[in-house]
Amino acid sequence: MKPRCRVNGCANARAGHSLLCSKHRSRKRRHGHEEQRTISKTDLRPFIDKVQARITKQPDAKLWSICDQRWDMLTAQWRAELPKTIYRYVRAGTKELVRLANTVSGREVAVTVIAMYLLQDHDPRLFKNEIGFRTQLVRRVRTLSSTSFSHWSGASDGRERRAIKELEPRTVEYLSGLLVELFGPAGVRVAQLERREEEEQRKERLVYYEALSEVE
Ligand SMILES: [Zn+2]
């Protein structure tokens, strides 16, 4: 009997020399981990809203304009000239970032990255490991631009279909490194603030309920 895929509950046979079946092997390649689920737009929405609310509350905070500037500086430099390197993933990654910068604003990217940090802080179990997190981070940022998809029609229902253009895992890793370097510290800070505020609200509610129980 051929050995089974190492994923719990998967009855498929292993593919080639892999410990995984072909389905899980390709999931690992595309999502950074064989059991990493896709983080959807809907999953991220409430956290995007939280970041946007924070920006609205304090629109002049330097952090937001610094995020914009960091993005503009990096992408402008590469738009003028892509780095000369022998590494294919670096070329592919920088090209991808410039392509993104042509269709989305640095602010949108920053908000998405910060929201991903909030989501991770809120529910760390959504991410199988750091690579899983970073792969989903890149995916959410790339989906901001319709140019990240290939479109085709001709399905039996006549509707247009689209699928994200896959990048090499090494390119995704490089790209995630750039995004984390650009906006990771902002993500960590905003996640800290969110957590602190939630904790304060919880305490206030507690005081309120205690006060209620004291009244006779
Ligand atoms: Zn499997």
Side-chain angles (χ1 to χ4, degrees):
M1 207 176 78
K2 274 193 97 174
R4 302 254 181 246
C5 170
R6 79 164 172 205
V7 171
N8 250 338
C10 179
N12 297 335
R14 290 179 186 176
H17 294 292
S18 175
L19 297 175
L20 301 166
C21 67
S22 58
K23 187 187 92 183
H24 282 115
R25 193 170 58 173
S26 102
R27 189 145 197 98
K28 182 172 182 178
R29 191 182 151 79
R30 282 184 292 128
H31 295 283
H33 187 280
E34 59 272 25
E35 292 180 89
Q36 179 61 52
R37 83 162 172 87
T38 314
I39 300 299
S40 71
K41 199 174 176 174
T42 317
D43 291 325
L44 199 59
R45 189 74 246 171
F47 301 92
I48 296 266
D49 291 347
K50 276 178 197 275
V51 181
Q52 256 147 9
R54 195 167 284 280
I55 295 175
T56 310
K57 200 169 86 182
Q58 214 185 338
D60 300 327
K62 256 192 245 151
L63 179 61
W64 320 126
S65 53
I66 288 175
C67 283
D68 295 343
Q69 280 164 20
R70 285 173 71 78
W71 172 264
D72 290 344
M73 267 167 58
L74 190 68
T75 53
Q77 173 197 332
W78 285 338
R79 194 176 282 131
E81 190 181 21
L82 287 174
K84 287 188 176 37
T85 165
I86 56 161
Y87 296 107
R88 202 159 56 115
Y89 64 87
V90 175
R91 288 200 304 270
T94 48
K95 220 171 104 185
E96 180 67 11
L97 206 75
V98 169
R99 202 185 50 70
L100 275 171
N102 290 337
T103 43
V104 298
S105 70
R107 181 63 67 92
E108 284 174 276
V109 176
V111 167
T112 302
V113 173
I114 296 170
M116 282 294 289
Y117 275 82
L118 296 190
L119 174 63
Q120 187 189 35
D121 195 62
H122 178 77
D123 194 354
R125 286 167 310 172
L126 281 175
F127 302 100
K128 292 292 171 189
N129 57 15
E130 180 64 18
I131 301 175
F133 171 73
R134 287 179 169 230
T135 308
Q136 293 307 309
L137 176 78
V138 168
R139 201 175 176 87
R140 285 310 339 144
V141 167
R142 290 183 70 223
T143 55
L144 293 173
S145 169
S146 66
T147 61
S148 304
F149 295 87
S150 22
H151 301 257
W152 69 93
S153 50
S156 52
D157 58 5
R159 289 220 322 257
E160 201 195 52
R161 297 289 161 88
R162 63 175 207 168
I164 196 157
K165 294 174 194 160
E166 296 297 341
L167 296 175
E168 299 263 333
R170 194 77 186 80
T171 305
V172 172
E173 192 193 328
Y174 176 71
L175 207 50
S176 75
L178 295 175
L179 293 173
V180 165
E181 201 181 310
L182 281 169
F183 305 127
V188 170
R189 175 67 182 144
V190 174
Q192 242 174 25
L193 290 172
E194 283 292 323
R195 187 181 275 244
R196 193 181 300 163
E197 282 168 23
E198 272 165 31
E199 184 61 21
E200 274 162 19
Q201 283 166 5
R202 203 182 60 83
K203 276 187 198 148
E204 273 167 32
R205 271 199 307 274
L206 214 65
V207 170
Y208 179 51
Y209 285 116
E210 273 171 14
L212 285 177
S213 65
E214 274 175 22
V215 181
E216 285 169 7

